[in-house]
Amino acid sequence: MSSPSMLKPENIRNIAIIAHVDHGKTTLVDAMLKQSRIFRENQQVSKRVLDSNDLERERGITILSKNTAVEYKGTKINIVDTPGHADFGGEVERVMNMVDGVLLLVDASEGPMPQTKFVLRQAIECGHKIIVVINKIDRPSARPDDVINSTFDLFIELGASDEQCEFPVIYASGLTGSSGHEPDQLFPTLEPLLNEIIHSIPHPQVNPDGPTQLQATLLGFDDYKGQIIIGRLHRGRMRKSQQVALLTADGKQRQAKVAQVFTHQGLRRIEVEEAVAGDIIAITGISDVHIGDTIADLSHPEPLPPIRVEEPTLRMTIGINTSPFAGQDGTFVTSRKLRERLEREAERDVALRVEETDSADHFLVFGRGELHLSILIENMRREGYEFQVSKPEVIIKKIDGRQYEPVETVEIDVSPDYQGVVVELLGKRKGRLQNMEVQENGNIHFTYLIPSRGLLGFRQQLLTATRGEALMNSILSGYEPYFGEIDTHDNGSLVAWETGTATTYALHAAQERGQLYITPGTEVYEGMVVGQHIRENDLDVNVCKKKHLTSIRRATAEEALRLDPPRLLSLDDAIELLKEDELLEVTPKIFRIRKKYLSKNERARQAKHKKYLAERR
C-alpha cells in the first residue's frame, strides 16, 4: 500500500460503527484489529481494547468516540467506534460528518432496541450508506430472519430513502471473528465484512487539490504536544508547519501554525509530512480550539457548517462542598478549580452545557440524561475533585404560552409475575401504555410513553419491585404538554440529628425505622441522610447514641446486637434517591446524601415557608 502521505481518496473508506448498548461494537472492532495484524504475535492485548477509559471497562459500555484504522487490500478503512447509549448521543452526532457510511450492528437475538433507533436516525438524516451487521449470530437464541424484518421496518419508520432501505446484510460473530452472507455459512474471518465495506461504502467525495479545510470533531490532550485536534480533512492537504486560519463558531478568525500532522494506523498515530483530503487525521500546535471550529487555508478562510446536536433534557447544580466534613478528602475544592474543570468538559463534549448562577460557588450543568451527568461526576471524583450536586431536574420549554416537557419511549421486559407491579409503578409516574405483547420466552414486553421526570429514580425502584428481573431501555421521544405533578418518592429519609460516630447500639434501634446506608464507626454530621425511612415522611434519628455502662452491663454488650446489612450506595443509586431538599456530597473517597439545610429547626422553618407560599398561590 502507498505511504500515508501518498494516499489517494479512492483508497480510503470512513465508517462509523453504531448500535444499541452491548450489541458488540467494540468486540467486533477488536476482531478487525487483530485480523489486520496490527499487533505483534506475542503482544498481550486486552479485550475491548478501544474501551481505554476505566469507566468504560467497569461499566462495559462505550462512552467516548474513538477512531482507529485498518488496511485491507490496499484500502485504508478508518473506523469510528461510537457510544450506543442515547445519553452520549452528542458523541454520535458529531462524528457523522467525519464518515461516509456506517455499520449498524443489531443483536441476532434481541433485535432492534430503543437506542438502535436513535443511532440509526442520525445516520439516515446524514444520508449515509448503511450496512446492517447481524451480530452474535452464533447465539442459540438467534432469530436472524425476524431481526432483519424488524430492522427493515425500523428503516421505513425513520423515513430512510429507497437506496438506504436496500441495505446489504452481513452475519457475524465479533467474539469469534467470523462473518458471512448467510447465517449458517460463516467464513472463519471477517473478510466478507471487509469486502462489503470496500464494495458498498463510497470513498470520500473530496477535492484533494483545493484549499485546506478541516473541522475539529474530536479533541484530545497530550502533556507534551498540547491540544490534539481530530477531524476529517474535507478539502486540500494538511502539511507539517503549515500556516492556517482558525475560524471559530462565533465568527472570529486568527492565524495559527500546524506543528505536526498524524494519520491513524491501528491504535497508533503515525506522524506524516502531509495528509490528503478524505482522511481522518490529527494535528497539534493550535491551542484554544473548540468542537466545530474550522481550520482552513489562510488565503481561503471558508468555515464549515457548525456541528449541531440535540438540546439537553436535564440539568443539575454543581457547587463547592459546604458540609461540615468539607476538604477532608479532595485535592480540588475551590470554585475556581470547579469552574475550570466544567468549562474544559463543555469544550470537549458539545452535548454538555455549563452556565453561571447567582452564586459564584455554584454552576448549572445541562446534560442529555442521568447517565451523561453521572459519568461526568464520577470522572471528576476520580480526578480528585470534591463538590456537591443537586437532584437532576428536567428542562421545561414554553411554546405558545404552554409548558412542554421531554417525554421518553420506555421498553420493559418482565416476567408475567411482575406485570401488575410494572403497570402500577408506571401509572403513578404518568406513563401511557403504547403496546404490550407476549414474547416467545413467555415474558411481557411493555412499551410506554412517559415524561422524563417520571424516570428520575425509577430504575432502582423497578429493579427492587421485580427482584432484579426487569430489563428497561428508554429513548427521548420528543416534547409534549406538561403531564402534571408526579410523586416519585414513596419513602422519606432517616436523618442524623447530631454530629459524631455511628454506634452499633444506635443503628440497631434505627434499623427498625427503615434501611440504613451506613455501618458502625461511620462519621456522621447533623443533617446527613443515613438511611431510607419506611414511611413517606423524613425522620430524625440519633445514630451516635451509646449504651450506658453499669457494673452489670459490659462494654462488649454491643457485640451481641445483630445489624441488617446496610445498603451501600453507588453514585447512580445516590443520584436516583436524591429529593428536592437534598444534596449529594461527592468526594474522591465517599458519597454522602445530606439535607440542603442541616439544622432540624431550619428545615422546619423552610417547610413552613414553602407551605405558606403554596397556600398564597
Side-chain angles (χ1 to χ4, degrees), residues 319-330:
I320 62 170
N321 189 8
T322 58
S323 86
F325 295 167
Q328 293 183 359
D329 301 334

Side-chain angles (χ1 to χ4, degrees), residues 67-283:
N67 49 302
T68 182
V70 299
E71 294 180 7
Y72 180 70
K73 293 185 176 179
T75 299
K76 179 182 181 181
I77 303 174
N78 285 309
I79 304 167
V80 185
D81 184 19
T82 63
H85 200 289
D87 279 18
F88 306 107
E91 296 282 326
V92 180
E93 290 163 349
R94 61 177 161 158
V95 302
M96 283 300 165
N97 72 337
M98 286 206 302
V99 300
D100 304 292
V102 300
L103 300 186
L104 174 67
L105 264 67
V106 184
D107 189 292
S109 175
E110 294 181 355
M113 300 290 279
Q115 315 297 347
T116 311
K117 183 176 181 179
F118 169 77
V119 293
L120 179 59
R121 183 191 294 130
Q122 307 300 324
I124 288 175
E125 288 176 354
C126 290
H128 290 323
K129 178 71 176 180
I130 300 164
I131 298 174
V132 173
V133 180
I134 307 300
N135 197 27
K136 304 184 183 182
I137 193 65
D138 51 346
R139 293 177 65 174
S141 57
R143 47 187 186 93
D145 292 341
D146 292 340
V147 169
I148 289 176
N149 290 335
S150 300
T151 305
F152 179 79
D153 292 343
L154 187 57
F155 271 72
I156 298 296
E157 179 187 339
L158 295 175
S161 65
D162 292 343
E163 184 182 357
Q164 287 174 324
C165 287
E166 295 176 0
F167 51 81
V169 178
I170 294 290
Y171 303 91
S173 168
L175 202 60
T176 60
S178 53
S179 64
H181 291 277
E182 299 294 334
D184 53 353
Q185 297 177 18
L186 294 188
F187 201 66
T189 69
L190 293 177
E191 280 193 34
L193 173 59
L194 295 171
N195 286 330
E196 192 64 54
I197 291 171
I198 293 175
H199 177 260
S200 297
I201 302 297
H203 65 78
Q205 303 297 318
V206 292
N207 177 11
D209 300 317
T212 303
Q213 198 178 42
L214 176 143
Q215 189 165 47
T217 308
L218 302 171
L219 296 178
F221 188 83
D222 185 273
D223 290 337
Y224 300 101
K225 298 182 178 72
Q227 192 170 36
I228 300 173
I229 301 123
I230 302 167
R232 170 179 166 175
L233 190 53
H234 285 262
R235 193 175 62 195
R237 300 171 186 271
M238 186 71 75
R239 295 181 300 279
K240 183 177 180 180
S241 302
Q242 181 177 346
Q243 296 289 336
V244 293
L246 175 65
L247 311 173
T248 61
D250 56 6
K252 295 180 181 177
Q253 176 181 332
R254 62 181 171 90
Q255 186 173 339
K257 181 180 178 182
V258 176
Q260 296 168 293
V261 180
F262 298 87
T263 62
H264 295 87
Q265 182 177 325
L267 300 178
R268 296 182 300 144
R269 292 194 182 110
I270 307 297
E271 186 174 358
V272 294
E273 291 294 322
E274 182 182 82
V276 69
D279 202 0
I280 295 175
I281 66 172
I283 61 174

Side-chain angles (χ1 to χ4, degrees), residues 265-431:
Q265 182 177 325
L267 300 178
R268 296 182 300 144
R269 292 194 182 110
I270 307 297
E271 186 174 358
V272 294
E273 291 294 322
E274 182 182 82
V276 69
D279 202 0
I280 295 175
I281 66 172
I283 61 174
T284 63
I286 307 176
S287 59
D288 297 326
V289 178
H290 299 87
I291 298 293
D293 289 354
T294 302
I295 296 161
D297 188 280
L298 200 56
S299 58
H300 295 81
E302 301 169 15
L304 285 160
I307 296 174
R308 301 197 181 280
V309 297
E310 290 183 10
E311 290 291 311
T313 57
L314 283 185
R315 68 182 177 193
M316 64 165 44
T317 302
I318 297 183
I320 62 170
N321 189 8
T322 58
S323 86
F325 295 167
Q328 293 183 359
D329 301 334
T331 305
F332 308 110
V333 298
T334 64
S335 59
R336 182 174 64 86
K337 290 291 184 183
L338 202 57
R339 178 187 284 105
E340 290 174 355
R341 177 63 179 84
L342 292 173
E343 288 176 349
R344 194 162 66 244
E345 186 70 20
E347 289 176 5
R348 189 202 63 76
D349 185 352
V350 289
L352 191 85
R353 206 168 73 227
V354 179
E355 291 183 3
E356 302 275 349
T357 65
D358 295 337
S359 168
D361 297 333
H362 295 83
F363 308 92
L364 271 178
V365 180
F366 299 77
R368 293 282 279 270
E370 278 187 287
L371 184 60
H372 189 199
L373 295 173
S374 68
I375 292 294
L376 168 63
I377 293 169
E378 180 65 25
N379 279 326
M380 290 174 63
R381 182 186 76 84
R382 296 187 181 200
E383 293 166 14
Y385 288 84
E386 185 175 317
F387 52 97
Q388 62 190 23
V389 303
S390 67
K391 174 184 172 65
E393 57 182 21
V394 300
I395 300 168
I396 306 293
K397 289 184 176 181
K398 268 205 168 184
I399 305 175
D400 297 329
R402 296 184 64 189
Q403 287 188 325
Y404 282 72
E405 65 176 319
V407 294
E408 301 192 32
T409 299
V410 179
E411 295 187 8
I412 297 176
D413 288 337
V414 70
S415 70
D417 299 338
Y418 299 109
Q419 62 174 325
V421 176
V422 172
V423 171
E424 182 183 356
L425 286 175
L426 287 167
K428 282 183 178 179
R429 292 168 178 260
K430 306 288 186 181

Side-chain angles (χ1 to χ4, degrees), residues 557-597:
E558 280 196 10
E559 295 176 5
L561 299 176
R562 288 179 175 266
L563 291 178
D564 297 331
R567 179 180 176 182
L568 301 178
L569 300 179
S570 67
L571 175 61
D572 294 331
D573 292 339
I575 291 176
E576 286 194 356
L577 288 168
L578 276 180
K579 300 181 181 65
E580 286 78 5
D581 65 338
E582 292 174 351
L583 298 170
L584 176 62
E585 181 185 353
V586 181
T587 80
K589 295 182 180 179
I590 198 168
F591 307 112
R592 300 186 189 97
I593 298 177
R594 50 158 288 189
K595 290 295 180 180
K596 287 182 180 178
Y597 300 99

